[in-house]
Amino acid sequence: SMLASQGDTRSNRNYLFVAFMLNIILDPIFMFGWLGFPAMGTAGVALATILVQLYGNVYLARKVVKSPAFSLDLLKAARLSVRTMLEILHQALPASLNMMTNSLGLFIVNAYAMRYGGDAVVAAYGASLRIEQLTTLPALGLNMAALTIAGQNFGAGRLDRVREVYRQCLKYGFVLMTSGMVVIFLLARVLISTFNNDPAVVSAGITIIRIVVLVFNAYMLINVSVAIMQASKRPYVAMGIGFLRQIALP
């Protein structure tokens, strides 16, 4: 968010792209024990995720420190303000809890996949999730753009521009997500086979990804709407939506 507020949306894009590629490489290595590593199964996916997240934290932190708005002298001279901290927490805590529900949602889905489908279904879900993440990157970009631009205009009192940001993001998002839905649905077998040639994994992966694509536009709508609400200082809406879709309803 600090980088996006300065107009730097490329750094997060770069991280997401590299994270996607790293997951493609590390997931099968740790899961199936390639290149001399022990076969860890589902635990290998968790280890790969931790390593990728660690890389992201270091990379983005370096970008923030090097950004024009960062000043080490100002940071050293800063004094704690309870009021300011409460205002920040008012915005940050619901967003953090919303992100936590996303992680918990993945945990719940993986638990059910392991219980009723075994390693093959977990592997298929992991592959379909990577494909989904790549295809929905435009939606994440729109989410970041909506949050940044709408937040600036909300602060300036230009609610007409906030509404225009919402309309434009939904319009472009619908085109991008619908295009992605068609491509992924038609190429499901080829894409899943890229990750794993096991017939059981491919069969389960095709079923998963062809169901998931049906909600791409809903995913985009939720993300853009949540971004607009956060930009308008209504972050608790995002937390409620995240709880319903990731914890309560599954």
Side-chain angles (χ1 to χ4, degrees):
S1 296
M2 291 183 64
L3 292 172
S5 65
Q6 301 174 61
D8 179 8
T9 57
R10 295 182 178 180
S11 294
N12 192 55
R13 176 207 62 188
N14 294 342
Y15 157 63
L16 291 173
F17 178 77
V18 173
F20 170 77
M21 299 304 298
L22 286 176
N23 272 303
I24 292 177
I25 296 170
L26 296 178
D27 281 358
I29 290 176
F30 293 152
M31 284 184 66
F32 304 114
W34 296 353
L35 302 178
F37 286 91
M40 292 179 278
T42 307
V45 178
L47 178 58
T49 301
I50 291 173
L51 293 176
V52 171
Q53 291 293 328
L54 178 61
Y55 151 74
N57 285 329
V58 174
Y59 171 75
L60 293 175
R62 284 173 57 88
K63 286 292 184 178
V64 170
V65 171
K66 293 181 178 180
S67 65
F70 182 85
S71 172
L72 184 59
D73 293 334
L74 288 176
L75 181 62
K76 291 179 178 178
R79 295 292 182 267
L80 181 64
S81 169
V82 175
R83 179 178 179 181
T84 301
M85 291 298 296
L86 289 176
E87 290 179 355
I88 293 174
L89 285 174
H90 174 68
Q91 297 298 318
L93 185 59
S96 299
L97 291 174
N98 183 41
M99 294 179 66
M100 183 182 72
T101 60
N102 290 333
S103 299
L104 289 174
L106 290 175
F107 174 80
I108 293 172
V109 172
N110 273 292
Y112 278 108
M114 176 59 72
R115 176 180 298 179
Y116 297 108
D119 287 339
V121 173
V122 172
Y125 177 67
S128 66
L129 184 61
R130 303 308 170 212
I131 297 169
E132 176 191 349
Q133 288 174 337
L134 179 62
T135 311
T136 55
L137 280 178
L140 294 177
L142 288 172
N143 176 64
M144 186 65 69
L147 179 60
T148 303
I149 301 174
Q152 292 171 343
N153 283 283
F154 181 82
R158 294 297 303 270
L159 298 184
D160 57 319
R161 290 185 176 179
V162 174
R163 288 189 288 268
E164 181 63 20
V165 169
Y166 186 51
R167 286 193 294 267
Q168 292 297 328
C169 284
L170 291 183
K171 180 174 70 175
Y172 289 120
F174 177 79
V175 173
L176 292 169
M177 291 299 97
T178 302
S179 300
M181 289 168 60
V182 174
V183 172
I184 297 301
F185 192 92
L186 295 177
L187 299 180
R189 180 175 296 277
V190 175
L191 293 171
I192 296 295
S193 298
T194 303
F195 291 87
N196 196 309
N197 287 322
D198 186 287
V201 175
V202 173
S203 177
I206 291 172
T207 301
I208 292 171
I209 197 63
R210 283 182 171 171
I211 293 174
V212 169
V213 298
L214 299 177
V215 297
F216 274 10
N217 275 310
Y219 177 84
M220 178 274 300
L221 175 61
I222 288 174
N223 276 271
V224 173
S225 299
V226 164
I228 295 296
M229 297 305 293
Q230 289 178 328
S232 305
K233 293 187 176 183
R234 292 173 174 82
Y236 289 97
V237 174
M239 183 177 67
I241 292 175
F243 176 79
L244 286 175
R245 61 188 285 260
Q246 298 288 0
I247 307 298
L249 296 182

